[in-house]
Amino acid sequence: KGCIGSGNVDSNSRLGMAAAVASYKRAFGSDTVPCSYEDLETCDLLVMAGSNAAWTHPILYRRIVAAKIANPQMRVVVIDPRRTASCEIADLHLALKPGTDAFLFNGLLHYLQQKRALNHDYIETHTEGFDAAIAACAEFDLETSAERTGVDIGMLEQFYKLFARTQKTVSFYSQGINQSATGTDKCNAIINCHLATGRI
């Protein structure tokens, strides 16, 4: 923006997005966000992790609110230690311990595998390293995930079941995930759940 002199250019090149960029490169081979804003309006489950979009992405948040009004069956899950303004539209708020997001999503991947909710055709055709990912999350059964994250086990299972049964699922994560010493791993823990279910 400063070099070109235009307010109409933006990129992911800032430090705040470094973890997201690294995770996309790790997962997809390039800094590519595999969805569009329209996907946030047409999904049946929107998972907002480390994002208070009501304040940080207000225009996009208004589109999400409108989409939820238009589709009462749409579910929104907010994963954030704090109860933020974005929780006003949440069907479920998981107030996890700060920094435990990867544990929550490793637990989700373990749950999906245990409940046979994976897309094996997609995994075999489009992914690598699936067995290593499953092995890495093997310790994260429901009880362990609840203990590590501090989330009520019933609420955690409710989220896991919702994710498992909802094909049109989008995870919308932001700086609460990215800006961390383990931000890249947190991003990849989320992406792994989508790769394992073929929801890209």
Side-chain angles (χ1 to χ4, degrees):
K1 291 178 180 179
C3 178
I4 297 173
S6 169
N8 301 314
V9 179
D10 201 359
S11 75
N12 264 1
S13 59
R14 294 163 297 185
L15 182 59
M17 295 303 297
V21 170
S23 68
Y24 293 144
K25 288 195 60 106
R26 187 191 283 173
F28 308 119
S30 69
D31 177 14
T32 304
V33 181
C35 65
S36 67
Y37 285 159
E38 288 77 13
D39 292 328
L40 302 176
E41 299 171 299
T42 59
C43 64
D44 293 321
L45 172 61
L46 177 62
V47 181
M48 298 173 64
S51 169
N52 181 15
W55 284 7
T56 59
H57 299 93
I59 295 171
L60 188 57
Y61 181 76
R62 295 310 311 162
R63 288 174 62 174
I64 294 168
V65 170
K68 187 162 170 53
I69 291 170
N71 176 16
Q73 299 306 309
M74 179 184 181
R75 295 291 170 255
V76 176
V77 175
V78 172
I79 301 171
D80 195 306
R82 306 165 303 151
R83 181 163 191 84
T84 66
S86 297
C87 291
E88 291 177 15
I89 62 164
D91 298 284
L92 188 62
H93 171 219
L94 304 180
L96 77 176
K97 295 176 189 173
T100 62
D101 309 84
F103 297 149
L104 186 143
F105 284 97
N106 282 344
L108 174 58
L109 183 59
H110 178 80
Y111 180 91
L112 295 169
Q113 193 258 345
Q114 292 292 307
K115 298 299 181 182
R116 303 181 189 279
L118 303 178
N119 185 333
H120 289 285
D121 289 340
Y122 187 92
I123 291 166
E124 290 171 17
T125 306
H126 299 290
T127 70
E128 300 173 356
F130 172 73
D131 291 337
I134 288 297
C137 69
E139 68 179 286
F140 290 96
D141 59 23
L142 194 57
E143 291 75 14
T144 301
S145 299
E147 181 183 341
R148 294 276 186 93
T149 62
V151 175
D152 173 77
I153 193 167
M155 294 179 71
L156 193 62
E157 186 174 23
Q158 186 180 345
F159 167 56
Y160 287 176
K161 283 181 178 178
L162 193 57
F163 192 102
R165 71 171 183 247
T166 309
Q167 184 61 34
K168 291 171 63 178
T169 296
V170 173
S171 292
F172 177 77
Y173 56 91
S174 192
Q175 304 298 34
I177 298 292
N178 299 336
Q179 292 188 340
S180 163
T182 57
T184 301
D185 291 335
K186 290 177 184 179
C187 293
N188 282 123
I190 296 169
I191 293 170
N192 283 347
C193 295
H194 284 269
L195 288 171
T197 52
R199 298 171 184 168
I200 297 293

